Amino acid sequence: MEEKPRNVLLLFAFTIFLSLSTTSSHSHHYQTLVLNPLPSQPILSDSQAETLTSTETDPTESTFSVQLHHIDALSLNKTPQELFSLRLYRDSSRVKALSSLAASAAAAGGRAAGGFSSSVISGLAQGSGEYFTRIGVGTPPKYVYMVLDTGSDIVWIQCAPCKKCYSQSDPVFDPRKSRSFAGIACGSPLCRRLDSPGCHTRKKTCMYQVSYGDGSFTYGDFSTETLTFRRTRVGRVALGCGHDNEGLFVGAAGLLGLGRGRLSFPSQSGRRFKRKFSYCLVDRSASSRPSSVVFGDSAISRTARFTPLISNPKLDTFYYVELLGISVGGTLVPGISASLFKLDQTGSGGVIIDSGTSVTRLTRPAYMALRDAFRARTTNLKRAPEFSLFDTCFDLSGMTEVKVPTVVLHFRGADVSLPASNYLIPVDSNGSFCFAFAGTMSGLSIIGNIQQQGFRVVYDLAGSRVGFSPRGCA
């Protein structure tokens, strides 16, 4: 008869201990947000362009780093307000596509529907992405802008001759002028890695098609080619050479898939770069310094706190992690528990880390609890009308800085304390700032790149873990 009350007391004591340990490690419950306006269009300097187009090569190098730039730099003659609106539009399309992929993979038991005209499961994501770098394609290398995307697997580039190609910043790549371009036979193991491969009846070569949830797609020859990253050359990378490409792609010539699937760049080059890479995304509103991505052992930061990757047996593209809870102002938010973010046996639910989504989406009950906790601690700030997908905004006009409650994401094994600029962001030029989280009716929650700014995010596929290193862009 005494066992039940004793268990209740032990559970209560553990809860108090957990709360105290969380608050003690983040004793400053408020932090200062310096109010910077919406960033204007980033411009690539001549020195950055020169660095990006370096043609020196070292085919034996086992680690390398390249600069990343935001896709806004390829959107010419746009105001800061227009750039932000376009970003939210792309974001909405991407989230819809990622959620659609997760749902369809769960419903289909992890297999794509039959037939080449169906969507390719690996790499079904909004393909415009947010960050790009300069990569040499072919031999001799032709340098083009490529989007880097952790939510996709397939590497692809627009190729001549074009049946239909969208507008890009560089000349379209012509595989006939490359000594290292080679087609892939229809029955080869590489071709069979595609979920829905096709076969060119006359050439007997492999064909690919990737369809995206917003209606965008790329279609063409599945082939191998040499890619050059500054001084490092990587041969025989399987990539799509797209002759028909349509949709929301902006400026860049193609996409470098960094997902977990078998055809992603980290998986293909795994032996050489140890299946490790990391990036640091600079806050565009506070710095003109470029972001960066590192491949190889140098990608692992000594100060990173790691959380284990979770496998989704229905879908191998995404980086799933376990989110246990969220604190606001040093206190765990009631109503947010690990059960809200659980990845179930059918492949539904879960939390992913994604470089191409901007605004973090949380399943609706978790978002509402987080929002209400944040509102309760910001009653001293003047509220502003809702803006786009943001329902918690503030009028901070005439102010240069403001105190806001801390926000901490509690992953298994890693507490990630966000800088204030990672969750209260400018949305116009009039001093309106909004809480940069949103709810989703989908079961899939997504940690976006606004929340990742300033951290070096480490993807250690060999160790099946993801790490976060604060102030990692130095």
Side-chain angles (χ1 to χ4, degrees):
M1 294 294 291
E2 297 180 359
E3 189 64 20
K4 185 175 181 181
R6 181 169 173 267
N7 287 343
V8 170
L9 286 172
L10 286 172
L11 179 62
F12 177 74
F14 175 74
T15 303
I16 293 297
F17 169 77
L18 180 62
S19 178
L20 287 174
S21 64
T22 300
T23 56
S24 64
S25 61
H26 305 283
S27 57
H28 300 293
H29 299 163
Y30 285 80
Q31 59 182 327
T32 300
L33 171 66
V34 177
L35 302 178
N36 293 305
L38 271 178
S40 58
Q41 178 180 318
I43 302 296
L44 291 178
S45 68
D46 291 339
S47 61
Q48 289 170 348
E50 183 179 350
T51 302
L52 285 171
T53 56
S54 169
T55 57
E56 297 177 44
T57 61
D58 180 357
T60 64
E61 196 165 343
S62 61
T63 183
F64 69 90
S65 171
V66 292
Q67 293 180 358
L68 290 180
H69 297 273
H70 195 268
I71 203 73
D72 286 353
L74 300 182
S75 302
L76 301 177
N77 303 319
K78 295 284 195 300
T79 67
Q81 188 71 55
E82 289 170 335
L83 289 172
F84 188 67
S85 296
L86 284 171
R87 188 179 190 185
L88 294 182
Y89 175 69
R90 292 193 306 268
D91 212 43
S92 176
S93 298
R94 182 178 180 88
V95 168
K96 179 181 177 181
L98 296 181
S99 300
S100 174
L101 167 58
S104 61
R111 295 182 180 273
F116 181 60
S117 62
S118 67
S119 299
V120 177
I121 287 293
S122 292
L124 178 66
Q126 206 291 310
S128 63
E130 288 290 301
Y131 289 88
F132 67 89
T133 193
R134 198 92 166 136
I135 298 176
V137 182
T139 307
K142 302 295 183 183
Y143 281 83
V144 294
Y145 293 123
M146 297 275 281
V147 168
L148 275 69
D149 184 8
T150 58
S152 299
D153 289 329
I154 305 293
V155 181
W156 62 266
I157 185 173
Q158 292 201 115
C159 282
C162 275
K163 178 180 178 182
K164 187 168 185 180
C165 285
Y166 61 87
S167 177
Q168 64 178 57
S169 302
D170 299 291
V172 174
F173 176 71
D174 189 344
R176 295 166 296 189
K177 298 179 179 179
S178 170
R179 297 193 302 272
S180 50
F181 181 87
I184 295 173
C186 293
S188 71
L190 270 178
C191 190
R192 290 197 296 268
R193 287 187 188 179
L194 291 168
D195 289 309
S196 300
C199 186
H200 194 290
T201 53
R202 182 173 57 85
K203 297 179 180 178
K204 305 298 182 184
T205 53
C206 190
M207 306 290 290
Y208 82 101
Q209 175 174 306
V210 180
S211 300
Y212 296 88
D214 64 348
S216 305
F217 65 87
T218 173
Y219 164 82
D221 299 307
F222 199 50
S223 51
T224 61
E225 184 55 287
T226 295
L227 301 182
T228 302
F229 301 81
R230 297 176 66 182
R231 297 182 303 275
T232 302
R233 191 168 62 241
V234 184
R236 294 191 57 77
V237 176
L239 54 76
C241 189
H243 300 290
D244 190 352
N245 319 280
E246 301 177 32
L248 274 181
F249 310 112
V250 180
L255 184 143
L256 189 76
L258 298 179
R260 293 178 75 183
R262 295 179 300 171
L263 287 171
S264 72
F265 180 74
S267 294
Q268 288 196 57
S269 60
R271 182 175 301 177
R272 182 167 173 185
F273 301 115
K274 311 291 182 61
R275 299 181 69 208
K276 299 171 183 176
F277 71 95
S278 66
Y279 57 69
C280 197
L281 308 177
V282 173
D283 180 357
R284 296 186 305 121
S285 66
S287 175
S288 59
R289 292 181 296 118
S291 305
S292 65
V293 60
V294 181
F295 291 86
D297 286 331
S298 298
I300 306 297
S301 171
R302 294 180 179 178
T303 59
R305 295 290 302 275
F306 285 93
T307 185
L309 281 170
I310 299 174
S311 294
N312 182 350
K314 310 295 186 183
L315 181 64
D316 60 4
T317 298
F318 297 159
Y319 293 94
Y320 284 91
V321 292
E322 191 173 0
L323 183 59
L324 304 178
I326 304 176
S327 294
V328 173
T331 303
L332 283 168
V333 176
I336 296 183
S337 63
S339 61
L340 291 177
F341 307 113
K342 187 174 178 59
L343 177 65
D344 65 27
Q345 293 181 343
T346 70
S348 298
V351 180
I352 66 172
I353 307 289
D354 182 44
S355 66
T357 299
S358 290
V359 178
T360 289
R361 293 338 197 259
L362 300 175
T363 188
R364 190 72 183 164
Y367 169 70
M368 292 175 68
L370 173 63
R371 175 200 65 189
D372 292 347
F374 190 79
R375 286 178 175 178
R377 290 180 175 267
T378 52
T379 54
N380 59 315
L381 301 180
K382 182 181 178 181
R383 290 288 297 274
E386 296 182 1
F387 183 93
S388 184
L389 75 165
F390 302 121
D391 64 6
T392 300
C393 300
F394 303 92
D395 178 3
L396 305 181
S397 56
M399 306 174 72
T400 57
E401 60 181 41
V402 65
K403 293 284 187 182
V404 294
T406 56
V407 175
V408 182
L409 305 178
H410 300 287
F411 297 100
R412 181 170 297 282
D415 291 343
V416 178
S417 182
L418 301 178
S421 58
N422 287 28
Y423 54 87
L424 199 58
I425 64 171
V427 297
D428 61 22
S429 302
N430 303 316
S432 297
F433 283 70
C434 295
F435 189 51
F437 288 81
T440 176
M441 298 305 291
S442 162
L444 181 69
S445 296
I446 306 171
I447 307 299
N449 60 49
I450 290 175
Q451 282 65 41
Q452 297 174 46
Q453 286 176 169
F455 292 90
R456 179 152 294 279
V457 184
V458 181
Y459 294 80
D460 181 3
L461 280 69
S464 192
R465 58 182 187 164
V466 171
F468 303 88
S469 179
R471 297 176 296 279
C473 293

